[in-house]
Amino acid sequence: MPSESAGIDTIVTEHKNDPTRLVQILRDVVATQGFVRPEAITAIAHALQLPRARVEGVAGFYAFLGTEPKGRFHVLFSDNVTDVMAGSLELRRRLLDAFHLELGDVSRDGLVSIDVISCTGLCDQGPAMLVNGRAIPRLTPARIGAISALIRGRSPVEEWPDNMFRIDDHIERKDVLLSTPLARGEAVAAAIARGADGTIEEIKRSNLRGRGGAGFTTGIKWAACRAAPGATRFVVCNADEGEPGTFKDRVLLGAWADLVFEGMTVAAFAVGAQRGFLYLRGEYPFLVPHLRAALEQRRSEGLLGERILGVEGFGFDIELHLGAGAYVCGEESALIESLEGKRGIPRNRPPYPVTRGYLQQPTVVNNVETLAAAALIAKLGAEWFTAVGTPKSAGTKILSVSGDVERPGIYEYPFGVTMQQVLDDAGAKDTQAVQVGGPSGTLLARRELGRRIAFEDVPSAGAFMVFDGSRDMLAVVENFARFFAHESCGFCTPCRVGTTLVKQMMGRLVEGKGTRRDLKDLAKVSKLMKTTSHCGLGTTAGNPVLDALEKLRPSFDKRLASLEVLPSFDLDEALAPAREVTAREDVDAHFPGEGS
Ligand code: SF4
């Protein structure tokens, strides 16, 4: 295929034959050829001087890449629980039936393939899907009918009506972060005036803690990076927000991109970094033109590039890097692996990225919201920031509110706000439970709605999913279990096997086929994953099950098929083929049953 290999050469050349761009190269290959063909793997490996197995391994790792043929129109429905609650399963069935397909199939004529992904980051306007990587929110039966007709008519996705792809920002409540104006360059100038050490001290005094979930103190992280030996330093903005129920970074980067880039540049000045990356969630390519334009403007105003604001020796620039559909890349060391063009397998820690991160050099990785806050602290000072929030949780938190509420969207509150306040503002009624921080976070029952969003009470990376009294909470937990089993990278046994076992047991319970033995095993496996998994995905995968078993136990008990402790594996049935081979059907050839 000479023309195809010429196309691959062009793509690789555009990426300067740089092996660290491998994920980006493969994204471009999929965009032009639908999937990664064996010839493409060979050509890329040759051009980048990488082992062929390395390229194939990366192509097979990410959901948006892949080495299997897909339809000319590749449709991915969001399997996020709030999309399911909004009717995505019925809509998915409708489209599957229109093309006589089952999930995962490619139509015989190669026209269409339909599958699922964990989440699209559009939980405030679901149900949603991606078609050839382009997001379509607010699906309805009429919209599915229109999409089906466009596919049948072989109309290129680029020519579909613009309003089909319209993504709305639902900004429902602003506090100091979203309402304080900042002119381009103001925070960078303030950081320069304070000096690098002074800026780090100011960030430390502000008690700014990471908004991505872990809550690590930002100033300490920056100081460690600055002090670490290394020829080059890097600043990475983690905009991978793959946690189902989270979409605040999408809005921040859409409407406050300059604030985030300002924060990255302040961080670069403080730690002495020369290069920065914005690692953008693979589901958000619609933000790329806007982000590129914002970066270009900053370059033209001397806020990126050599001698920023005329300061000798302060050179810094930012590159965009798109993810490719792997939730585990939200973990900072997996994200760095991905940035280096590898599979997103979390690294052993220590060493931590601040000492050995991107290309083994000191690297600061911060969440989008953290960097936005850092920019404002650089300009307005630590006292401005600590005046808001609680003594242990300074500043504000942006929540992505979705599910059973009248007004889904993003809400910014000072830390310390009660769950009930958020629910009242969003128009929630008869709330049965809230999942805070996404599936890996905390499930809170009705009796806990007086608790507060704060590091010292209910910490949150931002997701706030609401379930009213009509929802089947076992089905919700089963959805989360499916999510973790789907997203486990498979590197370590406790998570790879544990997430699958939990998914299977939750499936049995939801179908009313579970036993008390399943409940015991669910708790046991979930605790085992927590203590023995290699990274945060595995250590948090059991959270929803353990929370639900503790707080919603009657829902489980009501669904049990048997109150007895029955084995979930039928050994006698499994031995049937052996009996057949040995031609034995006598009593002694059977495994004794329960109670025998
Ligand atoms: Fe991969 Fe799960 Fe192990 Fe993390 S815990 S390394 S996601 S298998």
Side-chain angles (χ1 to χ4, degrees):
M1 273 185 231
S3 63
E4 280 189 2
S5 70
I8 299 287
D9 287 346
T10 308
I11 290 170
V12 174
T13 307
E14 276 168 7
H15 290 280
K16 302 186 173 64
N17 288 53
D18 180 354
T20 66
R21 305 282 302 169
L22 180 55
V23 175
Q24 309 308 295
I25 290 168
L26 291 169
R27 278 193 64 105
D28 288 354
V29 170
V30 170
T32 53
Q33 301 188 359
F35 69 104
V36 188
R37 292 174 163 77
E39 313 82 86
I41 293 174
T42 306
I44 293 167
H46 184 255
L48 298 182
Q49 299 188 327
L50 290 174
R52 191 179 183 285
R54 156 97 181 267
V55 179
E56 190 168 10
V58 172
F61 183 83
Y62 295 90
F64 293 169
L65 304 178
T67 53
E68 297 295 324
K70 299 185 180 86
R72 193 171 134 196
F73 295 89
H74 184 50
V75 179
L76 291 169
F77 277 89
S78 168
D79 193 33
N80 179 28
V81 70
T82 54
D83 287 65
V84 172
M85 284 155 54
S88 70
L89 297 186
E90 296 76 18
L91 297 167
R92 191 169 90 192
R93 187 71 257 164
R94 200 177 269 253
L95 195 67
L96 285 165
D97 288 348
F99 291 97
H100 309 290
L101 294 176
E102 289 303 324
L103 213 56
D105 286 351
V106 182
S107 62
R108 267 200 231 153
D109 60 0
L111 180 67
V112 58
S113 48
I114 303 174
D115 214 326
V116 290
I117 53 165
S118 296
C119 177
T120 53
L122 298 164
C123 324
D124 54 335
Q125 45 208 298
M129 60 155 65
L130 304 180
V131 183
N132 294 354
R134 294 197 66 185
I136 304 181
R138 298 179 297 277
L139 294 173
T140 59
R143 211 160 233 212
I144 290 291
I147 289 165
S148 166
L150 287 162
I151 292 174
R152 273 188 208 297
R154 290 162 168 72
S155 167
V157 176
E158 300 70 39
E159 294 172 16
W160 292 13
D162 281 346
N163 77 343
M164 208 170 247
F165 304 104
R166 198 193 77 231
I167 311 283
D168 295 330
D169 287 348
H170 296 121
I171 303 161
E172 298 293 336
R173 188 182 195 281
K174 292 180 181 177
D175 213 287
V176 293
L177 185 79
L178 300 181
S179 61
T180 304
L182 182 83
R184 251 193 311 280
E186 255 188 309
V188 180
I192 291 168
R194 249 191 215 107
D197 290 334
T199 299
I200 289 177
E201 276 314 304
E202 200 66 19
I203 298 291
K204 275 189 190 169
R205 286 201 314 111
S206 75
N207 197 22
L208 172 63
R209 295 173 65 176
R211 271 38 180 168
F216 195 78
T217 308
T218 306
I220 292 177
K221 195 184 252 192
W222 288 13
C225 182
R226 182 168 175 78
T232 317
R233 288 179 175 69
F234 297 91
V235 170
V236 177
C237 174
N238 183 349
D240 194 44
E241 62 170 359
E243 191 79 44
T246 315
F247 48 88
K248 69 184 175 64
D249 293 348
R250 184 197 86 217
V251 179
L252 269 173
L253 289 168
W256 283 272
D258 248 316
L259 186 61
V260 179
F261 291 143
E262 192 87 7
M264 287 182 75
T265 315
V266 167
F269 176 75
V271 305
Q274 294 83 31
R275 281 177 74 190
F277 296 96
L278 181 101
Y279 188 102
L280 182 64
R281 183 177 182 173
E283 287 84 348
Y284 296 163
F286 51 86
L287 288 174
V288 169
H290 156 72
L291 293 172
R292 288 219 168 105
L295 289 173
E296 234 4 273
Q297 178 148 23
R298 294 184 73 83
R299 285 185 196 109
S300 71
E301 294 176 5
L303 295 169
L304 286 177
E306 299 300 316
R307 298 181 75 250
I308 289 174
L309 291 180
V311 176
E312 203 58 56
F314 180 24
F316 177 69
D317 212 328
I318 299 171
E319 294 169 35
L320 291 186
H321 182 114
L322 268 160
Y327 165 75
V328 70
C329 289
E331 196 278 342
E332 61 180 6
S333 69
L335 182 148
I336 289 170
E337 288 284 295
S338 182
L339 273 176
E340 291 182 0
K342 301 175 190 161
R343 296 183 301 153
I345 306 280
R347 293 177 178 174
N348 285 328
R349 303 187 324 162
Y352 292 94
V354 284
T355 53
R356 290 173 65 185
Y358 183 70
L359 303 178
Q360 299 299 315
Q361 299 299 310
T363 303
V364 155
V365 183
N366 282 139
N367 172 265
V368 173
E369 189 182 343
T370 312
L371 289 162
L376 288 169
I377 294 164
K379 179 195 164 194
L380 297 163
E383 280 73 23
W384 169 82
F385 193 68
T386 53
V388 179
T390 73
K392 288 188 179 161
S393 305
T396 63
K397 184 76 199 87
I398 303 176
L399 301 172
S400 312
V401 180
S402 64
D404 292 318
V405 294
E406 281 167 14
R407 293 172 292 282
I410 69 164
Y411 292 72
E412 185 194 3
Y413 289 99
F415 271 115
V417 65
T418 64
M419 308 272 299
Q420 190 61 56
Q421 180 70 55
V422 180
L423 291 167
D424 291 345
D425 290 351
K429 305 231 163 50
D430 182 30
T431 299
Q432 173 186 188
V434 182
Q435 183 73 25
V436 180
S440 68
T442 313
L443 177 69
L444 294 163
R446 200 190 301 261
R447 62 180 179 276
E448 298 177 279
L449 300 181
R451 292 182 64 182
R452 296 175 185 279
I453 300 289
F455 290 108
E456 63 271 30
D457 190 355
V458 183
S460 171
F464 194 98
M465 300 155 102
V466 181
F467 306 98
D468 72 18
S470 72
R471 300 298 175 186
D472 175 0
M473 289 309 294
L474 254 58
V476 170
V477 177
E478 191 265 342
N479 176 284
F480 294 161
R482 262 202 332 265
F483 164 74
F484 285 118
H486 186 257
E487 295 294 341
S488 168
C489 80
F491 174 75
C492 65
T493 310
C495 172
R496 183 181 66 247
V497 177
T499 52
T500 301
L501 287 174
V502 169
K503 180 182 89 164
Q504 289 169 351
M505 287 186 273
M506 281 307 305
R508 277 203 295 278
L509 283 163
V510 167
E511 285 174 19
K513 295 178 183 164
T515 67
R516 271 208 196 286
R517 169 70 173 265
D518 284 320
L519 296 192
K520 282 190 174 171
D521 287 349
L522 265 176
K524 203 166 152 188
V525 174
S526 299
K527 284 178 192 156
L528 195 74
M529 286 195 292
K530 213 176 189 48
T531 50
T532 57
S533 293
H534 176 65
C535 84
L537 188 151
T539 57
T540 58
N543 286 358
V545 168
L546 292 171
D547 277 351
L549 279 171
E550 182 197 329
K551 299 172 185 180
L552 307 169
R553 182 63 188 240
S555 310
F556 282 88
D557 289 338
K558 268 190 240 153
R559 293 285 265 282
L560 293 180
S562 165
L563 294 179
E564 303 302 318
V565 177
L566 294 177
S568 53
F569 176 73
D570 189 341
L571 182 57
D572 194 57
E573 177 70 26
L575 291 172
R579 285 196 300 273
E580 201 177 327
V581 170
T582 53
R584 285 187 62 179
E585 261 309 328
D586 54 286
V587 173
D588 287 344
H590 282 272
F591 187 77
E594 191 75 22
S596 63

